[in-house]
Amino acid sequence: MIRSAVTISLVNEARGGPFVYWDDFAGSCRKAAALGYHAVEIFAPSADALPMAMLQPIFFENELEVAAVGTGAGWVKHRLSLTSADESVRRGAIEFIQGMIDFGGRCQAPAIIGSMQGRHGEGVTPQQARDWLRAALDVLGEHARRHNVPLIYEPLNRYETNLVNTMAAGVELLQSLQTDNVRLLADLFHMNIEETDIAAGILAGGRFIGHVHFVDSNRRPVGNGHMQYGSIVSALHDIGYDGFVSAEAFPWPNSDAAAAQTMRAYQYWFGAEG
Ligand code: LER
Ligand code: MN
């Protein structure tokens, strides 16, 4: 069954970014549960920002799971990157992500590598960046395995990375790794920019797809842009996808309306199977 999730950001430096709920973690979880979400996706400033003793009662009371945890705070707060020319920055990026994998692992949730992948340029060749990225994914994928969760790698659009922009390129990267514990994140916003055909991109990702960011063409909640969901939903069924579709969208026109709109869209597209 494809399940629903909604993002909560606690990262001040990411303000203006595509996260539905902000700041109030317990209140956001209560609202998500009241709308019928199965899970939350957490964008936290650090691995120790949300102690488990505080989280567990919130998840228990609201019958919520954690769909995934983001690692992008390592970039927006500390300018860490897995492909920086500076070795200490690369090492810091790996340590930051390991901490987030451990945090997510305690909630049985995978960590996502998005903006932490960085880019080539400024003295780093495409080949060098790719080698550093592959080495990092091998280490981090195996680190995630200790928690029995995969590591999620997200191809981004060309304005955010020049490393991997499509599902097909993501599959090629994953097939070049030693670890088999990394999955792709199909973010419909990035795919709308980069794929020739979004449904075909999902088919190309196939069994490698482990998480979906469920959002419209303009990064507003599903239903507020020009994305055609029929073929996308069919493609997700065709590949046997049974993970989360997670609302990583702008809080447009506000958080509550964005969460409610995404839930209506989730029920329309996926509800009958639940
Ligand atoms: C994160 O999931 C994402 O989609 C990126 O655009 C953040 O930089
Ligand atoms: Mn995303």
Side-chain angles (χ1 to χ4, degrees):
M1 177 185 160
I2 295 176
R3 286 168 297 157
S4 58
V6 60
T7 47
I8 306 176
S9 171
L10 306 171
V11 181
N12 211 24
E13 291 81 354
R15 219 159 277 285
F19 305 101
V20 171
Y21 288 121
W22 288 82
D23 305 324
D24 174 8
F25 190 77
S28 301
C29 284
R30 271 195 297 276
K31 287 178 175 182
L35 285 170
Y37 280 98
H38 296 112
V40 292
E41 179 175 321
I42 306 172
F43 195 66
S46 64
D48 54 7
L50 292 166
M52 285 313 287
M54 181 207 117
L55 289 181
Q56 256 151 0
I58 296 174
F59 297 146
F60 183 74
E61 276 161 37
N62 295 293
E63 294 184 40
L64 280 174
E65 288 175 61
V66 182
V69 300
T71 63
W75 168 246
V76 296
K77 277 182 82 77
H78 308 293
R79 289 295 180 244
L80 297 171
S81 158
L82 294 173
T83 52
S84 166
D86 183 334
E87 205 259 324
S88 67
V89 173
R90 295 198 303 279
R91 194 166 356 102
I94 288 185
E95 284 166 7
F96 186 89
I97 295 167
Q98 280 171 332
M100 285 297 188
I101 290 171
D102 294 338
F103 164 56
R106 288 192 283 275
C107 314
Q108 287 84 54
I112 298 170
I113 295 184
S115 52
M116 287 289 272
Q117 69 193 274
R119 48 175 59 240
H120 64 73
E122 293 179 22
V124 178
T125 65
Q127 186 58 48
Q128 181 64 85
R130 194 177 165 84
D131 288 348
W132 281 332
L133 179 61
R134 288 175 54 239
L137 292 176
D138 274 328
V139 168
L140 295 169
E142 288 307 300
H143 191 86
R145 195 191 296 282
R146 295 183 202 169
H147 299 281
N148 237 340
V149 294
L151 175 71
I152 307 286
Y153 171 77
E154 182 172 25
L156 301 175
N157 75 70
R158 68 192 66 186
Y159 306 106
E160 296 190 36
T161 188
N162 50 17
L163 298 177
V164 172
N165 302 122
T166 63
M167 286 301 117
V171 169
E172 199 188 315
L173 175 71
L174 265 49
Q175 283 177 325
S176 77
L177 300 178
Q178 280 166 13
T179 178
D180 64 357
N181 198 38
V182 184
R183 302 280 178 281
L184 294 176
L185 198 170
D187 181 322
L188 302 182
F189 166 74
H190 297 303
M191 294 179 76
N192 178 60
I193 296 171
E194 296 296 343
E195 304 285 348
T196 309
D197 175 305
I198 299 174
I202 287 169
L203 296 176
R207 64 185 173 85
F208 290 95
I209 295 181
H211 196 65
V212 172
H213 279 157
F214 186 48
V215 60
D216 219 313
S217 51
N218 48 10
R219 231 172 195 183
R220 287 179 178 179
V222 173
N224 291 300
H226 58 72
M227 192 89 75
Q228 300 293 314
Y229 288 93
S231 58
I232 294 171
V233 172
S234 298
L236 286 171
H237 289 309
D238 287 349
I239 64 168
Y241 182 69
D242 70 347
F244 290 98
V245 288
S246 183
E248 187 188 68
F250 292 131
W252 186 92
N254 56 58
S255 295
D256 291 341
Q261 168 58 28
T262 304
M263 180 43 72
R264 274 193 297 276
Y266 168 78
Q267 281 162 349
Y268 179 82
W269 290 111
F270 301 103
E273 59 178 57

